[in-house]
Amino acid sequence: MEFSTVLQSLLSGLTLGCIYAALGLGLYVVYGVTRVLNLAQGEFVMLGGMITVSLSAFGVPLFPAILLAVAIVSLTGAILYRFIIFPARHASGSTLAFLTVGFAFAVKGLTLLVWGWEYRTLTSFLGSPSIHLWGATIFGQAPWVVGMTILMVAGLYYFFGRTMLGRALRACADEPLGAKTIGISPARMGLLAFVIAAALGAVAGATITPLTMTAYNVGIPLTIKGLLAAFVGGMHRAEGVILGGLLLGLTEALSAGLMPSGYHDAIALSILLVVFLARPRGLLPAHANIED
Amino acid sequence: MLRAEYMATRSGFPHGSTDPLLELRRLSVAYGRLVALKDVDLRISSGELVCIIGPNGAGKTTLLKLVNGLLKPSSGEILFRGEQIESIPAYKVARCGITQMFQDVQLCPTISVLDNVMTGCHVWTRAGFLSTGFRRGHAREEEATMRASSLEQLNALGLTDRVTAMPRELSWGEQKLVGLARALVAQPSLVLLDEPYGGLMQHEIDKLSTLLRRLTCGGVTVLMVEHLTDVVMDVASKVVVLHYGEKIAEGEPQAIRNDEKVVATYLGE
Amino acid sequence: MAAVEVTDGITVEAGRARTRRRVLVGVGLAVVFTLPFWAGAYPVSIATMIGFHSILALGLVLLTGLAGQVSLGQAMFYGMGAYISALLTVRVGLPSWPSIFLAAAATGIIAAGVGFVILRLRGIIVAGVTLTVNLIFYYLIMSMGSVTGGATGMIGIPRLVYPGNLPYTAFIFLLVWLVVLALLVFSRNVVNSRSGRALRVLNVLSGGSEDTAQVLGINTMKYKVSAFVVAAVFASIGGSLYAHYTRVIEPSTFHVQLSVIVAIMVIVGGVTTPWGAVIGATVMICITEILRAVAPIVLGGPTGAYELVAYGVVLVATLLFLPEGVYSLPKRLKRRRRASR
């Protein structure tokens, strides 16, 4: 086994892992605050990519295009919460999950209507299509993806740890009733959580599009990967989700690089599934005080 | 397997004598560092009505959960008719003849009162998935027997006109009675009751006391957790006092009422 | 006196309702089982597809509606039935009828193993894990090219052999709907029985509890796994019939999308009653076919887009406004009419 092959796998695994971690973080924010398993997270990512591509095609410069895409996707997140989740907020977890499935189907269909079935892509953010590193070749976009995830994590830590609003969100996640008595509205926090998740998804979508391309049907596979990352790492902690994402990405890339061709997808998923079944509470389980 | 056969298999235990019916030996349980029960010993004979009292957090409900098998002890033994049951799963404990009514009753909300009581017959029936799906003869027979026994039980508790109602249409007192019917239709030899009097009105309290007395006269043993001290002193044949996981007193109601330690820690105030 | 009249009124009304229901079911059966003799090829093929989806959905009624275990893996067991049956007939050369039963048995054994591992988990996670297992199954049949034909799938699956000279499509149609009827009766029997009650008591989704079930003497794991296996065997039988019907199978049919759509079908129809599965499958397939045929012509746009939107809208609307599904619609309308009177 050549060093460069392994390095290549590790680097692309890291990139993939960052994508899955970004997806997992969106799921984590929504689940943490509202206890809803948002199976439309992948659609946010898909929409973010699609809208950025279209805006760029109209000649909008890249970063304003991303910002605009984030705004639009956040609005869809708000719609999902306000008109679909909120009216049914007292229903069972599976009902809420299926409501997001319904939303995902509708978004997918509308995307197909508006953009058609073609795969679309963006040029790499800084132009250079690939970077060479000790014999390994990585896509020019990969550092952007990694950077985006790091920025996302840092931003979330700052938001949840240092700002008043973030602390209110956390209070709502840990102790909904207590939060209510001190004047934090769970409904407003739920809305905020969905908007944040949608915004995270849109940023991720715009960033990964030069690497993975985007089309109306990429949402569900992305959701499944994000879900697996979150389950494996532990849905109750951001660190767990990130760990799960990286693990999934590295497992996929390494089995693609090292395993007999053809079987690597099944093998990677099976490995993750076995890890999850062995530790069903996640690799990093919840802190004792927010156990449910 | 019909009810009579079930009863026959249950009475043929090796030791012949069934005294004591239930025995707890140095039973302890800890949740992490928190010790919920510590070295509790207890012997209950057939036909007794034993009440466990104690302040909140004394380990009363924990003790019931150990007996019904939902919780495994950290150390110690539980013997039912001389056989160890502390390590077998809860559903097998139920088949030994132990049933329970929960504090919040927990009727299944999606099925009628009659169907709820019929779930109590699960322990003495055996029709499996396929035989019920294909409506084999023995499954149909069993279904009829379950229905008849459940109706009889509901009748005995004065619930005949609520048979087709859904649980949410019942008053709290009626729900408790249905829960009791579900426990009794299993033909148990030991019934566990978790605060059966909680939330009942005075006439319902009296009715329940009469029922429990009649039950123990019929040879059924009752182990219950209860807060209402007056009722406990009235119906119990034996009272056990738990305090922070330890048994601090045990005896006849009158003796407990006069026990200095108990008065000081619990009954006094 | 008044009380007697009221109860009399209710029994008379209930009796009338029962008669009405029986007439409705009788007419429905008559229409369905004579369909190939008076309808064209297109309606018959649509009705056959409704039958296949009803079989898949019926499994979920016991597993999800009664036991409260949300499974998104029906497409996998459908695929197992199809592929095992196809492999036994094409590669081993077995006759087609026994291969259906062998496939069902094999799928049942696999499902027992899978269920035993997965159903220890609780809540919505079961849905996520079954979805993942379904995805793994899809990747596996894609990769095992030498056995399963990979992405192109398998061709040349033999027909079922039957006496008489009925056209093959009509025969398959009747067979599929007979199977639907049999599974419907089976599920209905389970619903109203000792096993059905055991499943409902342990159903956490609808307010039951596994602890309560255990204390009542119910071996919760055994019942959950049994329901899982029964759902899988239903799907497997459906899959085998499907393979012998189309005689060509490819992996994309058994992707996770179908699992999700089947779950949507039972939710739309009504998850707690076997009739809900058939109603849901009918509603969803009809919507699909109508939109496929009409929408792109009238509204333009690519085929397949409108039905996705419709699935989403129908699912959300059902969950928000009709949580017990289309099955409960008549009852609800009646109640509203009575309330407004």
Side-chain angles (χ1 to χ4, degrees), chain B:
Chain B
M1 181 161 50
L2 295 182
R3 208 165 75 186
E5 294 171 42
Y6 173 73
M7 297 303 288
T9 60
R10 279 230 324 257
S11 54
F13 268 80
H15 298 287
S17 159
T18 56
D19 211 29
L21 183 72
L22 180 76
E23 188 176 0
L24 313 184
R25 287 187 188 156
R26 297 184 63 78
L27 206 57
S28 298
V29 67
Y31 303 107
R33 268 179 307 167
L34 180 79
V35 179
L37 274 185
K38 198 173 162 211
D39 292 336
V40 173
D41 286 296
L42 187 63
R43 290 161 70 90
I44 299 175
S45 308
S46 281
E48 275 193 290
L49 200 165
V50 179
C51 278
I52 305 172
I53 61 172
N56 282 330
K60 307 186 295 286
T61 302
T62 302
L63 193 133
L64 291 190
K65 275 192 167 181
L66 286 169
V67 176
N68 69 25
L70 286 178
L71 199 66
K72 302 297 163 210
S74 316
S75 65
E77 296 176 343
I78 304 172
L79 284 89
F80 185 68
R81 291 206 173 100
E83 308 227 326
Q84 278 188 295
I85 59 164
E86 78 274 355
S87 55
I88 64 176
Y91 71 90
K92 282 189 182 160
V93 173
R95 286 179 200 168
C96 297
I98 300 179
T99 60
Q100 172 165 10
M101 181 170 83
F102 290 93
Q103 192 176 352
D104 51 353
V105 190
Q106 300 201 356
L107 297 178
C108 176
T110 49
I111 54 180
S112 71
V113 164
L114 177 62
D115 281 332
N116 260 292
V117 175
M118 284 169 80
T119 58
C121 306
H122 198 91
V123 285
W124 51 264
T125 46
R126 67 157 69 122
F129 227 99
L130 292 182
S131 43
T132 54
F134 293 121
R135 272 168 70 79
R136 301 264 304 279
H138 70 91
R140 282 214 303 266
E141 246 167 61
E142 248 183 30
E143 188 76 11
T145 320
M146 288 162 95
R147 180 172 294 267
S149 312
S150 305
L151 281 171
E152 193 183 309
Q153 190 66 57
L154 281 166
N155 207 1
L157 296 184
L159 290 163
T160 315
D161 53 339
R162 308 303 271 155
V163 166
T164 55
M166 297 303 275
R168 63 170 179 278
E169 299 162 7
L170 302 180
S171 73
W172 179 236
E174 286 173 326
Q175 285 190 32
K176 288 234 156 181
L177 280 179
V178 174
L180 196 62
R182 181 174 71 177
L184 295 182
V185 81
Q187 306 296 318
S189 31
L190 174 64
V191 180
L192 310 175
L193 301 173
D194 197 350
E195 301 200 11
Y197 290 94
L200 294 190
M201 296 194 276
Q202 189 57 47
H203 70 276
E204 292 168 332
I205 291 178
D206 297 338
K207 186 178 174 188
L208 184 57
S209 295
T210 317
L211 268 173
L212 292 182
R213 282 201 198 93
R214 208 191 302 154
L215 207 58
T216 46
C217 285
V220 176
T221 312
V222 176
L223 173 61
M224 73 178 194
V225 163
E226 189 47 67
H227 268 303
L228 294 178
T229 330
D230 291 342
V231 177
V232 169
M233 295 303 170
D234 180 35
V235 296
S237 63
K238 181 155 87 183
V239 177
V240 175
V241 186
L242 285 182
H243 190 67
Y244 290 112
E246 290 185 66
K247 187 173 85 175
I248 58 170
E250 174 181 352
E252 292 184 2
Q254 208 49 47
I256 293 293
R257 205 191 277 280
N258 299 329
D259 188 306
E260 277 173 31
K261 205 168 156 196
V262 177
V263 171
T265 55
Y266 182 54
L267 291 177
E269 58 217 51

Side-chain angles (χ1 to χ4, degrees), chain A residues 172-240:
Chain A
C172 205
D174 294 352
E175 198 69 64
L177 212 63
K180 211 171 178 175
T181 54
I182 59 167
I184 301 171
S185 148
R188 205 171 296 162
M189 293 302 125
L191 184 68
L192 188 60
F194 269 86
V195 168
I196 292 175
L200 291 178
V203 173
T207 319
I208 68 173
T209 296
L211 197 64
T212 61
M213 303 212 281
T214 184
Y216 79 102
N217 61 358
V218 302
I220 290 180
L222 283 173
T223 306
I224 296 180
K225 297 290 172 65
L227 214 57
L228 205 54
F231 280 171
V232 167
M235 195 67 161
H236 293 273
R237 282 167 68 180
E239 299 93 321

Side-chain angles (χ1 to χ4, degrees), chain C residues 6-333:
Chain C
V6 170
T7 48
D8 257 345
I10 285 173
T11 49
V12 168
E13 199 173 299
R16 231 181 258 152
R18 196 186 308 140
T19 319
R20 214 180 304 142
R21 216 163 34 228
R22 280 189 184 156
V23 169
L24 205 70
V25 170
V27 170
L29 285 179
V31 169
V32 166
F33 283 98
T34 57
L35 193 75
F37 305 106
W38 51 265
Y42 176 66
V44 170
S45 77
I46 302 299
T48 310
M49 285 325 286
I50 293 177
F52 283 123
H53 286 89
S54 300
I55 294 173
L56 287 172
L58 273 167
L60 283 192
V61 167
L62 295 180
L63 183 59
T64 307
L66 253 57
Q69 309 297 315
V70 181
S71 164
L72 295 178
Q74 280 299 81
M76 167 171 70
F77 297 118
Y78 193 52
M80 277 186 197
Y83 270 94
I84 296 175
S85 207
L87 289 171
L88 287 176
T89 47
V90 175
R91 304 252 198 272
V92 184
L94 235 56
S96 42
W97 284 103
S99 76
I100 295 179
F101 291 98
L102 285 177
T107 307
I109 292 167
I110 295 170
V114 174
F116 197 73
V117 177
I118 288 181
L119 295 170
R120 291 174 187 284
L121 307 168
R122 292 197 175 179
I124 190 72
I125 284 183
V126 173
V129 174
T130 44
L131 196 68
T132 312
V133 176
N134 197 151
L135 197 59
I136 294 174
F137 170 77
Y138 171 76
Y139 286 145
L140 276 180
I141 50 174
M142 286 284 275
S143 334
M144 297 198 298
S146 55
V147 185
T148 61
T152 46
M154 294 183 67
I155 54 167
I157 302 161
R159 291 181 168 191
L160 288 167
V161 183
Y162 59 101
N165 50 4
L166 215 56
Y168 191 59
T169 50
F171 165 74
I172 284 287
F173 169 86
L174 291 176
L175 180 64
V176 166
W177 276 93
L178 267 179
V179 171
V180 171
L181 192 65
L183 300 185
L184 193 74
V185 171
F186 180 92
S187 310
R188 234 185 56 127
N189 289 343
V190 169
V191 169
N192 301 314
S193 76
R194 176 178 185 265
S195 334
R197 285 188 295 270
L199 293 176
R200 293 203 200 191
V201 170
L202 63 81
N203 181 339
V204 184
L205 286 186
S206 68
S209 140
E210 292 204 10
D211 279 357
T212 308
Q214 292 251 340
V215 169
L216 288 169
I218 296 164
N219 183 349
T220 49
M221 199 60 201
K222 185 179 124 191
Y223 274 91
K224 288 196 288 184
V225 173
S226 304
F228 194 74
V229 170
V230 167
V233 169
F234 282 15
S236 170
I237 294 171
S240 299
L241 291 177
Y242 175 79
H244 293 296
Y245 167 56
T246 59
R247 307 179 58 205
V248 175
I249 50 175
E250 48 175 19
S252 62
T253 312
F254 313 108
H255 207 336
V256 290
Q257 170 130 343
L258 178 63
S259 291
V260 178
I261 289 177
V262 170
I264 295 177
M265 282 173 178
V266 268
I267 291 172
V268 168
V271 77
T272 51
T273 159
W275 287 107
V278 180
I279 294 172
T282 311
V283 169
M284 295 283 288
I285 298 279
C286 288
I287 289 178
T288 312
E289 289 306 322
I290 291 170
L291 287 179
R292 260 187 212 167
V294 177
I297 300 167
V298 179
L299 301 165
T303 326
Y306 294 100
E307 66 204 60
L308 287 175
V309 179
Y311 292 164
V313 171
V314 169
L315 175 62
V316 169
T318 309
L319 286 172
L320 288 184
F321 307 117
L322 207 62
E324 285 159 73
V326 175
Y327 176 80
S328 69
L329 193 62
K331 213 189 298 172
R332 227 166 221 248
L333 288 179

